[in-house]
């Protein structure tokens, strides 16, 4: 599977999509066009408080390892994102692996700096990274079937945000650390924090649901009525389509200690999608797969509980996240649902105070006259 994974990555890097055929011809897609970036005077950016669940989970190395596999196929299933990906410089021009890998490395470093900086850097820097991320997508637009598309359309950009906080992070954490049954209160809190995060990007938020219950309805509608099995999704999913046994030539110790992590990634990725999405993607999922996922995540939680007690943060988080925790004087292992709720409440109260001040002053003047 290691070799297969490398081959799959190399194949993706050397793929050249036909932008006109990246979406199946028999599927008609809804047109989402127009740049819905907010003007500077309309910006209301609210950095995520440090003592939050998104801070606790987003920069984790295990979330990166498993979540990157979940995010690619689901993002590619949104037709406008698939079309934008197919026409990006990563999949056009020189198709040699060396050239594509160089572009991929540069973009990955930039994306990691901007996207993770929008969470873990100091508030003013986080705002700047949010706008830089948005502005990177200004030129991602074009034609799609008989219409047009724009990456900064409110519907498209919000779903891109959903793939971050929900598919890349929440679903993976739910599988790995909650045995597939994360308490609803935690999901609701992450959703509320995701509103702060979305404000950082500087794009119209009219597509964002008000409550987590509304979000569930939104997501169900998107999954059943808007997602497609695009060529981008097929390319990203190829390495996860089938289970494989360990190579015969592998030493027993590697089969025991390394192979479960490679198989486990496939199980977490495919197991993160609901049945109707797996059906859309034509991915097989059996009771055996479910049992393998259960056993792997149980093993993961036991191992993590031990390692967490003896290893420093740098073994669990990206460097940018570690620097953020050190700057704020916070240990993410001490962040709880209640502390996250309190931090978000205080954050919203602080920013509401200046907004209410003029009205309060006016009332005071009337009372004194």
């Amino acid at each position: 599977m290691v070799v297969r994974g490398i081959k799959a990555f190399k194949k993706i890097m050397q793929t050249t999509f036909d932008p006109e055929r990246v979406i199946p011809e028999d599927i008609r897609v809804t047109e989402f066009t127009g740049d819905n970036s907010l003007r500077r005077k309309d910006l209301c950016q609210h950095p995520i408080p440090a003592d939050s669940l998104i801070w606790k989970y987003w920069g984790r190395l295990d979330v990166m390892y498993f979540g990157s596999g979940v995010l690619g196929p689901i993002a590619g299933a949104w037709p406008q994102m698939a079309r934008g990906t197919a026409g990006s410089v990563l999949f056009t021009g020189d198709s040699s692996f060396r050239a594509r890998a160089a572009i991929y490395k540069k973009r990955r470093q930039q994306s990691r700096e901007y996207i993770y900086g929008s969470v873990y850097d100091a508030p003013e820097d986080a705002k700047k990274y949010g706008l830089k991320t948005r502005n990177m997508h200004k030129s991602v637009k074009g034609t799609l079937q008989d219409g047009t598309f724009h990456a900064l359309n409110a519907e498209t950009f919000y779903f891109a945000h959903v793939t971050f906080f929900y598919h890349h992070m929440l679903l993976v954490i739910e599988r790995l650390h909650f045995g597939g049954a994360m308490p609803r209160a935690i999901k609701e809190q992450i959703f509320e924090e995701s509103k702060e995060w979305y404000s950082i990007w500087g794009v119209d938020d009219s597509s964002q649901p008000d409550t987590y219950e509304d979000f569930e309805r939104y997501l169900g509608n998107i999954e059943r009525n808007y997602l497609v099995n695009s060529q981008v999704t097929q390319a990203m999913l190829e390495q996860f389509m089938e289970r494989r046994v360990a190579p015969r030539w592998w030493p027993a110790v590697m089969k025991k200690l390394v192979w479960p992590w490679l198989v486990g990634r496939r199980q977490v990725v495919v197991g993160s999608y609901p049945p109707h999405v797996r059906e859309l993607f034509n991915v097989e999922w059996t009771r055996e797969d479910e049992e393998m996922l259960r056993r792997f995540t149980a093993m993961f939680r036991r191992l993590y509980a031990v390692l967490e007690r003896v290893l420093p943060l740098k073994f669990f988080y990206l460097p940018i996240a570690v620097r953020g925790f050190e700057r704020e004087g916070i240990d993410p292992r001490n962040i709880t649902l209640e502390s996250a709720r309190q931090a978000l409440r205080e954050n919203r109260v602080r920013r509401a105070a200046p907004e209410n001040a003029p009205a309060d002053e006016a009332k005071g003047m009337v009372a004194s006259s």
Side-chain angles (χ1 to χ4, degrees):
M1 187 174 289
V2 175
V3 174
R4 193 164 183 259
I6 294 173
K7 286 182 177 179
F9 175 72
K10 187 174 182 179
K11 183 177 180 180
I12 291 172
M13 286 294 96
Q14 294 185 283
T15 296
T16 297
F17 297 104
D18 181 348
E20 301 304 320
R21 300 189 179 205
V22 70
I23 306 299
E25 294 181 355
D26 59 336
I27 295 176
R28 305 307 298 173
V29 303
T30 303
E31 184 177 25
F32 293 126
T33 193
D35 183 344
N36 294 130
S37 299
L38 296 176
R39 293 175 296 180
R40 186 163 293 277
K41 70 182 185 66
D42 297 323
L43 290 176
C44 293
Q45 295 175 284
H46 310 305
I48 309 170
D51 201 357
S52 64
L53 295 183
I54 287 180
W55 269 61
K56 180 182 180 76
Y57 294 125
W58 176 243
R60 292 176 57 98
L61 297 176
D62 55 352
V63 169
M64 282 192 62
Y65 176 66
F66 294 99
S68 59
V70 178
L71 184 148
I74 202 75
W78 182 269
Q80 288 75 13
M81 282 194 271
R83 176 64 180 80
T85 298
S88 75
V89 66
L90 186 58
F91 296 105
T92 57
D94 188 344
S95 62
S96 67
F97 180 70
R98 182 186 296 273
R100 295 278 180 88
I103 296 171
Y104 174 77
K105 181 180 180 181
K106 180 179 179 181
R107 288 202 157 196
R108 183 186 63 179
Q109 290 173 339
Q110 186 180 53
S111 296
R112 186 176 294 182
E113 177 187 3
Y114 290 4
I115 294 170
Y116 286 91
S118 72
V119 174
Y120 293 107
D121 269 348
E124 289 307 311
D125 291 329
K127 293 178 182 180
K128 292 176 183 177
Y129 280 128
L131 297 184
K132 284 183 178 181
T133 302
R134 181 197 68 183
N135 294 339
M136 281 174 57
H137 296 84
K138 284 280 187 181
S139 61
V140 183
K141 56 186 176 180
T143 59
L144 178 60
Q145 292 187 347
D146 297 328
T148 61
F149 77 96
H150 200 298
L152 295 178
N153 167 268
E155 291 279 358
T156 294
F157 206 76
Y158 181 69
F159 186 72
H161 180 64
V162 169
T163 64
F164 281 175
F165 83 82
Y166 184 77
H167 296 96
H168 186 97
M169 184 185 71
L170 190 152
L171 286 181
V172 171
I173 290 298
E174 182 174 31
R175 296 297 179 278
L176 292 179
H177 294 277
F178 293 91
M182 179 184 285
R184 186 177 181 82
I186 293 181
K187 295 180 180 181
E188 292 173 345
Q189 177 63 24
I190 289 175
F191 172 71
E192 285 300 316
E193 294 172 1
S194 79
K195 293 180 181 180
E196 314 293 292
W197 196 5
Y198 189 70
S199 75
I200 287 289
W201 309 130
V203 179
D204 178 82
D205 66 356
S206 58
S207 300
Q208 182 172 249
D210 290 330
T211 67
Y212 187 72
E213 185 176 348
D214 292 336
F215 174 75
E216 288 179 312
R217 286 193 290 268
Y218 158 87
L219 190 61
N221 178 49
I222 292 296
E223 290 173 345
R224 295 180 183 278
N225 298 311
Y226 290 89
L227 300 187
V228 303
N229 189 11
S230 73
Q231 290 180 2
V232 174
T233 292
Q234 293 170 21
M236 299 292 183
L237 268 181
E238 184 173 346
Q239 61 184 305
F240 303 118
M241 292 300 285
E242 300 176 13
R243 284 184 279 107
R244 289 286 188 271
V245 297
R248 294 179 181 177
W249 53 269
W250 269 35
V253 66
M254 288 187 65
K255 290 181 180 180
K256 186 174 182 179
L257 299 178
V258 178
W259 190 251
W261 293 95
L262 304 177
V263 175
R265 186 169 188 253
R266 187 265 179 188
Q267 301 308 103
V268 171
V269 168
V270 180
S272 294
Y273 301 128
H276 54 274
V277 173
R278 287 197 293 265
E279 183 178 354
L280 173 67
F281 292 166
N282 295 319
V283 183
E284 181 183 15
W285 187 258
T286 65
R287 290 184 180 179
E288 182 183 1
D289 286 308
E290 194 70 43
E291 177 61 17
M292 288 176 66
L293 175 60
R294 186 195 66 78
R295 290 165 57 187
F296 172 76
T297 54
M299 179 273 292
F300 178 88
R301 288 191 295 279
R302 288 194 298 269
L303 178 63
Y304 179 82
V306 173
L307 296 180
E308 188 182 35
R309 297 191 187 102
V310 297
L311 296 178
L313 287 185
K314 66 180 181 180
F315 287 93
F316 301 101
Y317 287 88
L318 287 170
I320 190 172
V322 175
R323 291 195 298 271
F325 289 125
E326 291 175 347
R327 184 186 68 248
E328 299 294 332
I330 291 176
D331 187 332
R333 291 168 288 201
N334 297 330
I335 296 176
T336 65
L337 173 60
E338 288 308 315
S339 68
R341 282 174 169 171
Q342 180 65 21
L344 185 59
R345 276 196 300 267
E346 292 176 354
N347 210 41
R348 290 178 172 177
V349 167
R350 277 195 298 270
R351 73 168 180 257
E355 297 173 3
N356 296 332
D360 294 339
E361 290 175 5
K363 290 179 182 178
M365 292 175 63
V366 171
S368 61
S369 60

